[in-house]
Amino acid sequence: MTQDLLLYVFDLAASFMLAAAASCRARSGGSHFSGAAVLACLVGLAAPLLREGLLGHPLLALNRGDYLAAALVGGLAGILVGRWRRSWLVFYWLDSLGLGLAAGVATVAGLYSGLGVTGCLILGVLTALTGGFVRDVALGDMARLVEDYLYATAAALGAMLALATLMYGKMPPWQCALAGCGLVLVLRALRLRKGGFGAV
């Protein structure tokens, strides 16, 4: 697999995870399955649409069906687990993984599109936060990027690590994106261990 293909797979995975997290949260809160599916599609497409729009690229999420397919499949998966007794934990990790992947992929894409350091970090953080923000607003929840102190911060630190490894570590782009995602997951694990579900 080429590096570009791996980044593309990570991008689809981010859409899948964010969509699954959205439908899982919606179903666990009592939403109808059709509404949860629509929300999942919206959330799953939000990150790639924002990233490509800010970069001035053709909107691949609209021109290709695989992004919509990833969001639909993720939405169905989230609907299935949304009624589990511990669905909150599934939601937490789906959301965290989507957050990390979106941050890492967008940061790497920004550098390869000619953005400077600041632009890459802003792009990575904005892209990572978009899906969760759309989900929380649509469901009437307090936005996690405001409420949770290790949400936006985790995305920012993950983007920084992805950028640092890409610029100075001489690592392949997909490994840099994965490193940023890994840091986000570690920080979110620490947040879960420290705060418990009542605080997340």
Side-chain angles (χ1 to χ4, degrees):
M1 297 177 74
T2 66
Q3 295 177 12
D4 288 343
L5 181 57
L6 285 169
L7 281 176
Y8 170 68
V9 169
F10 291 160
D11 199 20
L12 289 179
S15 292
F16 174 90
M17 298 299 171
L18 291 171
S23 60
C24 177
R25 173 68 186 86
R27 284 295 281 164
S28 65
S31 298
H32 192 269
F33 72 89
S34 61
V38 170
L39 177 63
C41 291
L42 180 62
V43 171
L45 294 175
L49 285 176
L50 177 68
R51 182 192 67 236
E52 299 303 314
L54 290 175
L55 290 174
H57 294 168
L59 298 179
L60 294 179
L62 295 180
N63 293 329
R64 300 180 58 165
D66 34 14
Y67 283 90
L68 179 59
L72 278 172
V73 174
L76 292 175
I79 288 171
L80 291 176
V81 301
R83 291 297 189 177
W84 289 2
R85 185 172 60 88
R86 294 176 65 84
S87 62
W88 63 267
L89 190 58
V90 177
F91 161 75
Y92 188 87
W93 287 115
L94 287 171
D95 186 39
S96 298
L97 188 54
L99 182 77
L101 286 171
V105 170
T107 303
V108 170
L111 188 65
Y112 276 91
S113 296
L115 293 182
V117 171
T118 302
C120 290
L121 294 177
I122 292 174
L123 181 69
V125 173
L126 286 179
T127 301
L129 297 179
T130 297
F133 180 73
V134 171
R135 177 197 67 230
D136 293 339
V137 170
L139 293 175
D141 295 338
M142 174 68 75
R144 289 180 183 273
L145 64 92
V146 175
E147 184 181 33
D148 190 337
Y149 71 91
L150 259 182
Y151 194 81
T153 304
L157 292 174
M160 289 178 190
L161 179 60
L163 186 60
T165 53
L166 187 60
M167 294 178 67
Y168 305 112
K170 297 182 179 179
M171 295 169 60
W174 69 270
Q175 290 183 8
C176 300
L178 203 57
C181 178
L183 179 58
V184 171
L185 291 178
V186 169
L187 293 173
R188 296 300 289 158
L190 293 174
R191 176 70 177 102
L192 182 62
R193 183 174 181 180
K194 181 177 180 180
F197 176 61
V200 300

